[in-house]
Amino acid sequence: MKTLFNSKKLENQIDQFLDAVSQGLIVFLNGVKSYFGEDKEDFAHYLTEISKLESEADKLRRQVENDLYTFSLIPENRGDVLALLEHLDNVIDTAKETLHQFDVEVPDIPLEFADKFIKLAETSCNAGEEIVLAARAFFKDIKSVRDHVHKVYFYEKEADRLSNHLKKDIFRTDMKLSRKIHLRDFTTHVEKISDDAEDVADRLSIYTIKRMI
Amino acid sequence: MLLFFLSSGLFLGWSLGANDAANVFGTAVGSKMVRFKTAAIIASIFVISGAVISGAGASHTLGKLGAVNALGGSFMTALAAGYSVYLMTKYELPVSTSQAIVGAIVGWNFFSGFVTDYKILSKIISTWVICPILSAIFAAVLYLVMRSIFNNVKIHLLMIDSLTRIGLILVGAFGAYSLGANNIANVMGVFVPSVPFREINLGFFTLSGPQQLFLIGGIAISVGIFTYSYKVMKTVGGELLKLSPQAALVVVLAESMVLFVFASQSLSDFVKSLGLPPIPLVPVSSSQAVVGAIIGIGIVRGWRNIRFQVMGKIALGWVATPIAAGVISFVGLFILQNVFGIVVAKKSVYKVEQEFVQFVSDVEIKGDFSKIEGKEFGSYKKLYNQIFPIVGEKDIAALLTSLCEEIDLELNLGKVKKLYSKGLLTREERDLFLKFKTKKFEYKYQFLMEFCRVQGCKLRNYKELREIYKKVEVYLKLLG
């Protein structure tokens, strides 16, 4: 009975963690959009919001780790679950980090690139969203993990392509080299969310095979 | 002295607890799904209840194979079985207490000149072959069902974990019960015919003589579980863990079901009532059932993880274990009898006297005994085969045959007083025996008749006779 109670509590915590990651991605996208919209108030709001979500995700992840070991739950899958949560945490960490860099470094992005930047951020976030869905499926509906994982791979490739285009465009302008490099770095940062998602997807594919009895 | 003779059985029980409990709780403990202490407590409780409540069936079959009727003989057969288990373990052959004890009993039969009932022997041996096969079939079916449930019903990973834990405990309890019911015969079966325990009335239920033996054996098994099984559980658990905990659950469930099938009297009766041949109640090997179950799952998963060597080793065990135990038992009995001068077997002669035929008709059991009147028979089986067609009922024939057994009993005052002073007889019983007119008894039924006379009871039918015989049998063991 005790294990049943503990596992119910833990189920909720894992769900909340996934909610935080997913919300973090939405907030990130909105933050990027408000940066280009030059709405400083909105941008500041999203910045505090994503920090809150990120620290909440951290807290939840530690709690889950702690409980899994304290109540020695799922000894067979424990390592996999922990690794999964830690790598999912990287996704929201990157999102937060990137948004903060916008705040700190205030990159001077020419308006002509705004759409492309936003498109890249959207695609990157899509990959993140799909990996959250895949992780949920891993816990509750193992058979549909594949349905989401393949989309993660698709969006990651798409983000890769978009960022390459963007970088090419940036370096074909007559801006100063320092500015070009600055913009290139931001392109890489935004794209990194999808790379993190891909990393989780790789692991998840293996865990899923392991779990299909 | 009794405790000394029982010691070999207790040792066998201890090693059974140390080794076989791992087949039931090994994965649960090895994978840290269940704590060892929890597992050990549950296993002990259920092994003991299984032994006491349902241990009789399989033990009865062993009794039919060879009723080891002297304490010295029981000691040696159990010791031979225990030693051969030790030897086989040393050479890393998969060994089964069940196979060892059967070999040891046949060894006793050979030594004491009792005829081995080959019908029963072949029934037992065929069960050994069926056991892993049946276990494989159970496991395959259960695995398919389980897989389709877990892969299609949307259950949270953590919920699956909780359910598996609860499942492992429930199935472990069932497995321990079945283990006790099926394998107690290995530990204590050979002592049943020779140990004089009396029925104890505990108010809400009574413990018969064999049940008390099973209780002691069950306790020996649980001591084995507590003292030594942790080590074995960790190794077995580790090996089985190549399977997922869910698959391991299937393995334990299949194994438990097989042990239960070959131990449950009521299940056997039910199958019989359907018009099918009754299931033989035979002690089988839990380790081999486990291997069978793993193979069953392997087949479903497409012949993966199957090590054919293991199957060869099991088959080798079927042959090597009983032969080794038989030889050790034979040699040991020889030494015990000729070097230490301990009685290892009582030779019985059965005779149907005219007086007996009269006695039988008084109890209103009908039948024409004239053909066998005055004849002598060298074994229980031979007389039983004659009486059975006359009376037409198994139970009656068995009872009458036992009554014809020749005994050489002299009821002397000293013996009765000694038993009284040891507390084995009550004051009433002592006085009762002192009232006996006849002091020398040639046949069991004579003792029974005298017993009835002194008590002033008149037997009117088979049922009453059976009740009295149960009491008399205990006294005969005590006085003999």
Side-chain angles (χ1 to χ4, degrees), chain B residues 358-407:
Chain B
Q358 181 59 43
F359 166 73
V360 169
S361 68
D362 286 348
V363 195
E364 294 195 346
I365 294 174
K366 292 189 178 64
D368 180 15
F369 289 90
S370 57
K371 260 191 193 169
I372 51 170
E373 207 177 295
K375 280 190 185 164
E376 215 178 80
F377 298 88
S379 77
Y380 174 92
K381 195 81 195 164
K382 280 179 188 158
L383 178 59
Y384 174 84
N385 286 341
Q386 295 293 325
I387 291 187
F388 177 59
I390 297 174
V391 292
E393 246 185 84
K394 270 188 183 174
D395 294 346
I396 299 180
L399 180 57
L400 293 184
T401 312
S402 307
L403 282 173
C404 286
E405 189 179 345
E406 204 173 41
I407 47 168

Side-chain angles (χ1 to χ4, degrees), chain A residues 3-4 7 10-11 14 68 72-77 81 138-143 211-213, chain B residues 31-33 143 146-147 150-152 154-162 165-166 241 244-246:
Chain A
T3 51
L4 271 180
S7 67
L10 219 59
E11 261 176 51
I14 292 173
L68 279 181
S72 86
L73 294 172
I74 45 167
E76 173 89 348
N77 298 306
V81 169
F138 173 74
F139 288 111
K140 282 184 199 152
D141 180 13
I142 192 84
K143 267 194 165 171
R211 259 200 61 206
M212 295 284 255
I213 59 165
Chain B
S31 65
K32 301 205 172 75
M33 294 284 269
Y143 184 78
M146 185 106 121
R147 186 164 70 176
F150 277 140
N151 287 348
N152 290 309
K154 292 173 187 171
I155 313 173
H156 198 280
L157 173 63
L158 285 159
M159 186 51 82
I160 292 177
D161 177 72
S162 301
R165 248 167 236 269
I166 294 169
L241 257 188
S244 64
Q246 288 77 33

Side-chain angles (χ1 to χ4, degrees), chain B residues 19-90:
Chain B
N19 285 305
D20 289 16
N23 293 332
V24 177
F25 272 111
T27 356
V29 172
S31 65
K32 301 205 172 75
M33 294 284 269
V34 177
R35 268 181 301 170
F36 173 70
K37 215 167 128 192
T38 319
I41 291 170
I42 293 172
S44 297
I45 292 171
F46 282 91
V47 158
I48 294 174
S49 8
V52 175
I53 298 167
S54 316
S59 145
H60 193 63
T61 309
L62 278 193
K64 277 198 237 165
L65 180 68
V68 182
N69 57 14
L71 209 48
S74 310
F75 168 77
M76 197 59 231
T77 34
L79 189 67
Y83 187 62
S84 46
V85 166
Y86 164 75
L87 271 186
M88 303 293 280
T89 315
K90 209 173 144 192

Side-chain angles (χ1 to χ4, degrees), chain A residues 3-53:
Chain A
T3 51
L4 271 180
F5 176 74
N6 286 332
S7 67
K8 205 75 212 160
K9 184 181 136 208
L10 219 59
E11 261 176 51
N12 284 334
Q13 284 178 346
I14 292 173
D15 270 337
Q16 283 167 11
F17 170 82
L18 293 172
D19 291 348
V21 175
S22 168
Q23 284 172 22
L25 290 166
I26 299 170
V27 170
F28 168 78
L29 190 60
N30 286 345
V32 172
K33 282 177 182 167
S34 65
Y35 182 82
F36 286 106
E38 294 186 0
D39 187 337
K40 283 191 176 142
E41 216 173 287
D42 252 9
F43 181 76
H45 164 74
Y46 291 127
L47 206 59
T48 38
E49 197 63 14
I50 200 164
S51 300
K52 258 197 254 166
L53 285 168

